[in-house]
Amino acid sequence: MAVLDLKAKLAILSDAAKYDASCASSGGQKRNSLDGKGVGSTEGMGICHAYAPDGRCISLLKILLTNFCIYDCAYCINRASSNVKRARFTVEEIVDLTLGFYKRNYIEGLFLSSGIIRSGDYTMEEMVRVARTLREVHDFRGYIHLKLIPEASPALVLEAGLYADRVSINIELPKDESLTALAPEKDVGVIKKAMGGVRLAIEERAPGKKDRAQPRKYVTGQSTQLIVGADEAADGDILARSENLYGSYGLKRVYYSAFSPIPDSSSRLPPQKPPLMREHRLYQADWLMRYYGFERAEIAGPGQNLDLAVDPKLAWALANRGRFPIDVNAADREMLLRIPGLGVKSVDSLVVLRRQKRVRLEDLKKLCGSEKKLRPFVIADDWTPGPLADADDLKPHLPSEAAPRQLSLF
Amino acid sequence: MRVARLSSEIDFDGWRRQARTLRAQGVAPDDVIWTVGGEGDLFGDETSAPVVEPAFTVSREFVELAQSVLLHRSPERLPLLYRLLWRLRDEPNLLSLATDPDVLKAGHFDQSVHRAQHKMKAFVRFREVPAAAETYAAWFEPPHRVTEATAPFFARRFSGMVWTILTPDACAHWDGAQLTFSPGADRSQAPAEDALEEAWATYFASIFNPSRLNPTAMQQHMPKRYWRNLPEARLIPELIATAQERTAAMVQNAPTTPSKRTMKAARRIARDRPAEGGAPTSLEEVAAGVDVCRRCDLWRDATQGVAGEGPARARLMFVGEQPGDQEDLAGHPFVGPAGKVLDRALAEAGVPRSETYVTNAVKHFKHEPRGKRRLHKTPDRGEVQACRWWLDAERRIVRPRVIVALGATAALSVFGQATPIGANRGQALQLPDQAQAVVTYHPSFLLRVPDEAAKARAYAEFVGDLRLAWSLAA
C-alpha cells in the first residue's frame, strides 16, 4: 500500500469524521495550566474556533484513528463495502497534531472516533492510548471527546472515562428494527448496556458521593447521535427514542444529523438532499422537552411528523388555542414558556420586569425583538387580542417564516 | 458645563472616581462632557465645587456592567454610563427594567463587548516565532477594546508557552510567569506564516460537508471582519463555489462494487449472532436468554434484561418485582436503594445473601419518562405472565426449598394468582412443586411508608419474615 503523507491522511480521516454532528466542548471540569505544567484549559463554556461554510462550528479536531472498518452499516461512509480511500494515523501522529493545533489556538481539543479494526477491544485500546498519552505524557488540559466502541470491554470504557471529558456512542437509527436492517453488526442491546455503564461510572463520582481513593476521572457526560431521514422513522418515533435516552442514561445531548449524501453511497438508501429543516425542527422539539417543560406526547405522537412550516411550539399553541391568550402580567413561568416567540431568557427578564411595572406590548417587543408572533396569544397591559384570539385561521396573522424548502433533489 | 477626562479609553478607575465626584456635586448628565487623553487638569478649579448630594452605593451588578460597557468603542458609552449612575439613586431597581431605553442600550453594549471577548478567545491564531523555542505571536483586530480584559484567558490556557498578542489598541505579553501590556502595534510585527497552517486549512476544507452548504450561518458566527486574520478563511470562496457540484457528483455516481476480499474479512470478523433456543437448562442460558428476550415489549425502553443471581443450588430464593433504574444500568438484581434495604434486613435476620438466589418476577425495567428522569411503573398482568417463563426456568434449575415473594407482583408470579400480602404474610405457604413459600413486603414499600412508627413496625415484620424463611430452608 502506498505510504500517505500526514496531510493526505488528515484529509481522508477528517472527511470521514464530518458526519458526526457533535462538536460540544462545554461542560468539562474547570481547569487550567497555571501550575506551569503542560498546556490547556477548560472553563465550562465551549468555544467555536471556526465555522465551515456549512455553518457548523469547528471546536475540536474531529478525526478518526482509522477509517478501515469491519462493519457494513449502509448509511456510513466508512462501511466495509465502500471503496473510499483508507488511511490510519499512528497514536503519535494524532498526539502531535492535537498539540500543534491547540498551541496555535485553532481548537479546544480532540474528538477521536474510529472505524472498527480487528476487534472492539483492540480499537478502543488504541483510542484510549491517544488520550492517555495526551494527558499523562504531555499534561494536556484541553478537551477530549472519545467515541466509545460499544463492544469493547467495560474496563476499557471505564479507562476512557479516566481521560476523556465526554464519551459517546452513536445509536444512529431511531428504530431497533432499522438498526438491524441497515447496520447488521450493531447491536442495540450492547449499545444500551455500554451507555448504562457510563452513567453508573459518571454518577459514582458525582459530587456529594464519597470518592476516596478513586482515580481522578475527567468524564462528566455522554451524548449520542440519531440520523434523520435514512430510515422510515417518523419524528415522533425519533423523539420517543431521545426521551428514553435522556431518561435512562442521563445524556447531555442527543444530536440529530440529517442524512446527507456520502461518496460511494449504498444503493439501499435514497439519494436526497439532507432534510435540514426536519433536523432543525427536531432540535427545536428536543429543546422544548428539555428546557420548556413540554412532554414528548404533547409535541408528536408515535408515527407523527413535526410540521415543517411552523416551529413545534407555535404548532402546539395553534392546536391548543383554548389555553390562550395568556396574561403576561399574571401567568406563572411555566405558562409564559409556552407562549410562541418567548424564549427562556425573555421569560426570565419578563418575570423580573413585571415586579417593577405593568408589562405592555411595547415591552414585549423590546424583550424579544418582535411582538408580532406573540400578539394573538397574549394579554398585556395595553393589549388584548380580541377577535384574533378566536380567529379560525391564525396563520395569515403571523409573520411567515421562510417558506419551507424540502426538495427531493436538484 | 464640566469636562471629565479619562487617562485612556478603558480607564475604569478614572471613570469611577470622576463619576462619583460629579454625582456628589449634583452635576446633571447633560452638563458633563466626557473626553479621553489630552492635556490639562482633570477638573480645573471645579474639583472644589461643594458636595451637595448624599453618597449612595450601587450594586455590584452595575459595577460589572460599567466595566464591560467601557470597553465598547462607541463614544456614547461614557455619557450613557453616567446617566445610568445618575438615575440609580432615585431608581435603585433600574437595571431590572430590561426595557428602559438606557438599560437596553447598555445591555446591547455589554453584549457586544462580551461577544468580542468570546470571539477573541476563538479567533486569535498564534504563529510560531522562528528560532525561538515554544514562542508564539498573533496579530488580532478586536472590534472593541477587549485585549487587556481577555489576555488572562490566554495566560491560563497557554501558561507553559511564551506568547504575544498584538492588536492596534494594545499588546499583551506572557513570558511564562507574568502578563504585561504595551501600546498598540501593527501586523508587520507578527510572524508572516506558520508551518502548521497548511494542515489546518486541509482540516478546515475536509470537515466541511458540501451538501449542507449554508454560508449565511457561517458568516453570522464568523463575520467577514475577522477573515483577514484567519488562515483558513482564504479557502472559503472556493469551497462555496464547488459545493453544489461535489454534492451532485456524490448523488449521481453509482456505488462501486465492494471489494470481495474486504467483505469476506468483514464477515469473518463480525460477531456471531446469538441463536434462539428452547427452554434453558442452566442459569447461564437463562441470563443470556433474558437479555435477548422479546416475549413482551418491555425490552424496547430498557437497557438489558436482568436475570437472577446466586448459587445454582441455593436453598432460599428471593423473588422481587422487577429491576429498577440502577439494576437496569448495572445488570444485577437488587443493587439500588431497595437492594440496600434488603441487604440490611438480611444482615439483621442472619441470612447470608451469598447463599441465596435473588431474582425478579419481571426481568426488564418498566418505566415512564418524566422530564430528564424515568419513573418506575408496575408491570401489568400480561408482562408478569410473559416473564413467568423465565422465573419457572429458574425455579426448575435452582429447586429452592423456600421461595420468598417480595411484594404483590412477586406473589402473583410465584403463585400464578393474586395473593394479598397483608392476609398471607408471616406464615409458611405450600407450593405445588413441594417448595414452601413466604410472602412479605417489597423492600421499596418499606422506603415509602410515610409514618415513622408504621415504617419501623413494617420493617420489623419484614426482618421476622426473612428469619422465618431462613429457618424453613435450613
Side-chain angles (χ1 to χ4, degrees), chain B residues 39-118:
Chain B
E39 296 298 309
D41 286 345
L42 290 184
F43 283 95
D45 296 334
E46 297 168 18
T47 36
S48 54
V51 170
V52 297
E53 305 270 343
F56 70 102
T57 56
V58 294
S59 65
R60 195 179 165 75
E61 187 191 1
F62 175 73
V63 175
E64 280 167 8
L65 179 72
Q67 279 172 329
S68 161
V69 167
L70 187 68
L71 307 182
H72 199 278
R73 281 198 201 275
S74 166
E76 277 180 67
R77 75 199 190 284
L78 297 172
L80 170 66
L81 284 177
Y82 186 60
R83 206 156 54 238
L84 282 174
L85 178 73
W86 178 262
R87 291 176 60 192
L88 270 174
R89 197 195 62 189
D90 298 324
E91 303 168 70
N93 290 322
L94 178 60
L95 292 188
S96 57
L97 283 173
T99 57
D100 175 274
D102 285 341
V103 176
L104 208 57
K105 175 143 230 171
H108 287 155
F109 280 5
D110 177 47
Q111 240 172 26
S112 304
V113 167
H114 274 119
R115 188 173 148 90
Q117 281 196 270
H118 188 71

Side-chain angles (χ1 to χ4, degrees), chain A residues 210-288:
Chain A
K210 284 183 202 153
D211 61 344
R212 300 168 282 210
Q214 272 195 63
R216 184 186 136 95
K217 283 182 235 173
Y218 279 90
V219 67
T220 58
Q222 61 173 331
S223 60
T224 193
Q225 166 171 294
L226 298 173
I227 300 180
V228 180
D231 65 355
E232 298 303 308
D235 296 339
D237 306 322
I238 297 176
L239 291 172
R241 171 70 99 184
S242 302
E243 186 187 36
N244 172 259
L245 292 172
Y246 282 124
S248 299
Y249 310 112
L251 296 196
K252 297 264 183 195
R253 285 284 295 273
V254 174
Y255 291 91
Y256 304 94
S257 179
F259 178 67
S260 85
I262 50 174
D264 197 17
S265 66
S266 160
S267 49
R268 295 160 68 194
L269 295 171
Q272 57 160 8
K273 276 204 135 172
L276 296 178
M277 182 50 86
R278 199 177 156 200
E279 177 191 286
H280 179 57
R281 293 287 182 240
L282 281 167
Y283 274 118
Q284 289 177 317
D286 184 281
W287 244 249
L288 291 185

Side-chain angles (χ1 to χ4, degrees), chain B residues 9 107 110 144 251 271 286 392 471:
Chain B
E9 294 282 0
D110 177 47
H144 299 289
V251 172
R271 266 172 327 100
V286 170
D392 287 349
S471 66

Side-chain angles (χ1 to χ4, degrees), chain B residues 10-189:
Chain B
I10 58 169
D11 172 20
F12 181 73
D13 289 339
W15 179 83
R16 176 153 68 174
R17 198 172 54 243
Q18 296 179 67
R20 197 187 277 149
T21 312
L22 290 166
R23 186 68 187 85
Q25 293 171 352
V27 184
D30 286 346
D31 296 330
V32 186
I33 295 171
W34 292 87
T35 73
V36 175
E39 296 298 309
D41 286 345
L42 290 184
F43 283 95
D45 296 334
E46 297 168 18
T47 36
S48 54
V51 170
V52 297
E53 305 270 343
F56 70 102
T57 56
V58 294
S59 65
R60 195 179 165 75
E61 187 191 1
F62 175 73
V63 175
E64 280 167 8
L65 179 72
Q67 279 172 329
S68 161
V69 167
L70 187 68
L71 307 182
H72 199 278
R73 281 198 201 275
S74 166
E76 277 180 67
R77 75 199 190 284
L78 297 172
L80 170 66
L81 284 177
Y82 186 60
R83 206 156 54 238
L84 282 174
L85 178 73
W86 178 262
R87 291 176 60 192
L88 270 174
R89 197 195 62 189
D90 298 324
E91 303 168 70
N93 290 322
L94 178 60
L95 292 188
S96 57
L97 283 173
T99 57
D100 175 274
D102 285 341
V103 176
L104 208 57
K105 175 143 230 171
H108 287 155
F109 280 5
D110 177 47
Q111 240 172 26
S112 304
V113 167
H114 274 119
R115 188 173 148 90
Q117 281 196 270
H118 188 71
K119 293 299 179 194
M120 180 169 178
K121 292 174 189 173
F123 297 150
V124 159
R125 296 283 182 266
F126 283 118
R127 285 171 168 164
E128 204 160 8
V129 177
E134 286 288 89
T135 303
Y136 296 82
W139 166 251
F140 188 69
E141 294 169 279
H144 299 289
R145 300 184 182 94
V146 296
T147 306
E148 289 89 341
T150 319
F153 164 82
F154 291 96
R156 289 192 294 275
R157 173 161 291 194
F158 301 114
S159 58
M161 302 168 9
V162 172
W163 53 260
T164 296
I165 299 173
L166 307 156
T167 85
D169 311 305
C171 302
H173 313 273
W174 174 260
D175 61 3
Q178 213 166 4
L179 197 56
T180 51
F181 298 98
S182 63
D186 65 76
R187 71 169 67 236
S188 68
Q189 290 165 272

